[in-house]
C-alpha cells in the first residue's frame, strides 16, 4: 500500500507533468467501488477544468481544478474551486500515458488532456477511491512533516494502544503506514508493542526526529517499491534498499547482528530488533 513518501513522489511527478494542462473529457468505468462521488458529479467537475496544481494531503492526492472566468461567472458560487481527490488504496496507480498505449486491465478512469496525453487510474484490487469536493480538502490527522514536536508528543498522551498502532492511526497522523512506522520505531529504539502513553519525553523526541528522517529519506529515494508500486512515470522507488527492519525477519540487525523479529499487533506485522529497541 502506498504510504506518505510514495504518494508524495506521485503527487510531485503529477504536479511537474500536468500543471497547466486542461482535462478535455473523462471516461469512467462501470465498477462502482472506486467512485466515492456520483459519476456525473466527477465528470462535471473534471471536464474542461484546468489542472492548477497537484499536492499530497496525508495519503491523498489532491488535484486543484480551475476554470476560465467565463465559466466561473455562470456558477452560483464562483469562489469555490473544485478539487479532485484520489486515494490509491492498496494497488491504485495514476499513470500518464500516450493515447496509443494499450489501456491496462482494471483501468477505472481515463482523463483525456489538451496536451494529447491521458491520465489513467488503474486499480486491480479496487480499494482506491476517486472523489470531488468543492471546499478545501483536509486529512483527518496531523501532517507528520509539518506537526511540531509538542503536538506530536501530545498525540500519544494517555493512549493505551501499542505505539505501533498509534502511529498507524490515521486520525492522529496522516500517511504513516506499516513500513515507515517500523522503520521509525527502530531508529528511535522503541519496541512496537510499547504502550504509547509509556514513552518517555526523550523517547517521544527521538521518535519525532526518526519519523521526519525516515519520511524525508524515503521521499528523496522516490518511495519504497514493495509489491507493485511505481510513480506516475512508471518508475520504481529505491527506499526499500534502505529498510533496516521492515521485511527483514530473521536477518541480522544492521547495528547489533541480532536477528530481526516479526510479531503481529492488531492484525498487522511489526518488525523490530529485540536488542536495539526497548
Ligand atoms: Zn539491533
Amino acid at each position: 500500500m502506498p504510504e506518505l513518501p510514495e504518494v508524495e513522489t506521485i503527487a510531485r511527478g503529477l504536479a511537474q507533468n500536468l500543471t497547466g494542462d486542461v482535462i478535455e473529457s473523462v471516461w469512467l468505468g462501470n465498477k462502482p467501488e472506486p467512485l466515492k462521488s456520483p459519476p456525473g458529479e466527477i465528470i462535471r467537475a473534471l471536464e474542461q477544468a484546468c489542472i492548477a496544481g497537484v499536492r499530497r494531503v496525508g495519503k491523498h492526492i489532491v488535484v486543484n481544478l480551475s476554470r476560465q472566468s467565463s465559466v466561473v461567472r455562470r456558477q452560483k458560487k464562483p469562489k469555490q474551486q473544485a478539487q479532485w481527490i484520489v486515494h490509491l488504496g492498496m494497488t491504485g496507480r495514476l499513470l500518464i500515458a500516450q493515447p496509443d498505449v494499450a489501456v491496462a486491465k482494471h483501468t477505472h478512469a481515463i482523463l483525456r488532456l489538451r496536451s494529447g496525453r491521458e491520465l489513467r487510474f488503474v486499480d486491480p484490487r479496487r480499494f482506491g477511491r476517486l472523489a470531488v469536493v468543492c471546499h478545501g480538502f483536509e486529512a483527518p490527522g496531523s501532517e507528520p512533516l509539518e506537526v511540531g514536536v509538542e503536538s506530536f508528543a501530545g498525540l500519544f498522551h494517555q493512549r493505551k494502544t501499542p505505539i505501533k498502532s498509534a502511529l498507524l492511526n490515521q486520525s492522529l497522523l496522516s500517511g504513516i503506514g506499516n513500513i515507515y512506522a517500523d522503520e521509525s520505531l527502530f531508529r528511535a529504539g522503541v519496541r512496537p508493542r510499547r504502550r504509547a502513553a509509556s514513552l518517555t519525553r526523550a523517547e517521544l523526541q527521538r521518535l519525532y526526529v526518526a519519523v521526519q528522517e525516515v519520511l524525508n529519506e524515503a521521499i528523496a529515494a522516490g518511495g519504497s517499491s514493495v509489491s507493485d508500486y511505481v510513480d506516475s512515470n512508471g518508475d520504481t522507488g529505491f527506499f526499500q534498499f534502505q529498510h533496516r527492519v521492515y521485511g527483514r525477519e530473521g536477518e541480522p540487525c544492521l547495528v547489533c547482528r541480532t536477528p530481526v523479529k516479526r510479531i503481529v499487533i492488531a492484525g498487522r506485522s511489526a518488525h523490530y530488533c529485540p536488542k536495539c529497541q526497548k
Side-chain angles (χ1 to χ4, degrees), residues 33-62:
E33 299 95 326
L35 307 181
K36 222 182 150 192
S37 303
E41 211 172 285
I42 294 177
I43 289 171
R44 271 197 304 281
L46 294 181
E47 281 191 343
Q48 299 306 315
C50 176
I51 297 172
V54 186
R55 66 199 165 91
R56 175 194 60 79
V57 177
K59 278 195 245 188
H60 298 82
I61 295 165
V62 176

Side-chain angles (χ1 to χ4, degrees):
M1 175 183 292
E3 301 181 28
L4 187 152
E6 291 78 44
V7 179
E8 176 74 27
T9 303
I10 294 164
R12 286 183 187 181
L14 294 172
Q16 216 166 46
N17 282 295
L18 299 182
T19 302
D21 214 333
V22 173
I23 302 161
E24 297 272 10
S25 64
V26 175
W27 170 89
L28 295 176
N30 53 14
K31 294 278 189 288
E33 299 95 326
L35 307 181
K36 222 182 150 192
S37 303
E41 211 172 285
I42 294 177
I43 289 171
R44 271 197 304 281
L46 294 181
E47 281 191 343
Q48 299 306 315
C50 176
I51 297 172
V54 186
R55 66 199 165 91
R56 175 194 60 79
V57 177
K59 278 195 245 188
H60 298 82
I61 295 165
V62 176
V63 180
N64 289 325
L65 304 166
S66 70
R67 291 189 173 269
Q68 310 278 321
S69 53
S70 61
V71 180
V72 170
R73 237 176 278 130
R74 268 185 266 129
Q75 291 176 339
K76 278 180 193 162
K77 293 174 183 168
K79 289 262 166 69
Q80 290 188 332
Q81 294 290 338
Q83 292 176 321
W84 183 39
I85 314 296
V86 181
H87 192 284
L88 298 170
M90 303 270 291
T91 54
R93 284 192 278 166
L94 276 174
L95 295 171
I96 300 168
Q98 296 298 329
D100 55 353
V101 173
V103 173
K105 209 178 163 188
H106 309 295
T107 297
H108 305 293
I110 300 175
L111 280 57
R112 296 178 194 89
L113 306 173
R114 186 165 291 171
S115 60
R117 300 170 299 174
E118 294 181 348
L119 179 60
R120 299 175 182 175
F121 177 68
V122 184
D123 186 7
R125 296 195 57 186
R126 298 205 298 269
F127 287 106
R129 295 290 179 262
L130 308 178
V132 290
V133 297
C134 57
H135 48 81
F137 177 79
E138 279 180 39
S142 299
E143 174 59 49
L145 290 176
E146 287 167 12
V147 68
V149 65
E150 291 302 324
S151 313
F152 179 85
L155 294 174
F156 308 110
H157 185 63
Q158 293 191 335
R159 218 158 259 282
K160 295 189 176 104
T161 55
I163 184 64
K164 169 75 186 278
S165 305
L167 285 172
L168 294 181
N169 183 340
Q170 299 297 301
S171 65
L172 299 179
L173 287 166
S174 282
I176 299 182
N178 229 15
I179 297 175
Y180 301 106
D182 282 1
E183 293 297 315
S184 300
L185 286 168
F186 174 75
R187 292 195 193 191
V190 174
R191 286 198 185 197
R193 227 199 293 261
R194 283 270 303 280
R195 271 190 354 163
S198 78
L199 267 67
T200 64
R201 180 72 216 182
E203 286 172 330
L204 285 168
Q205 173 76 36
R206 288 207 303 272
L207 183 58
Y208 174 78
V209 172
V211 165
Q212 310 271 318
E213 275 180 8
V214 165
L215 292 177
N216 280 317
E217 286 173 27
I219 291 168
S224 299
S225 283
V226 291
S227 65
D228 57 356
Y229 162 76
V230 288
D231 68 14
S232 56
N233 295 317
D235 295 330
T236 59
F238 295 100
F239 194 68
Q240 66 275 20
F241 302 117
Q242 296 175 51
H243 292 174
R244 298 182 191 175
V245 284
Y246 182 85
R248 297 190 66 246
E249 182 187 7
E251 292 177 41
C253 167
L254 300 175
V255 173
C256 73
R257 315 300 295 166
T258 304
V260 170
K261 251 185 118 166
R262 177 183 170 276
I263 54 172
V264 175
I265 301 172
R268 307 289 303 274
S269 66
H271 307 77
Y272 72 100
C273 171
K275 195 168 170 203
C276 292
Q277 290 170 260
K278 309 286 179 204

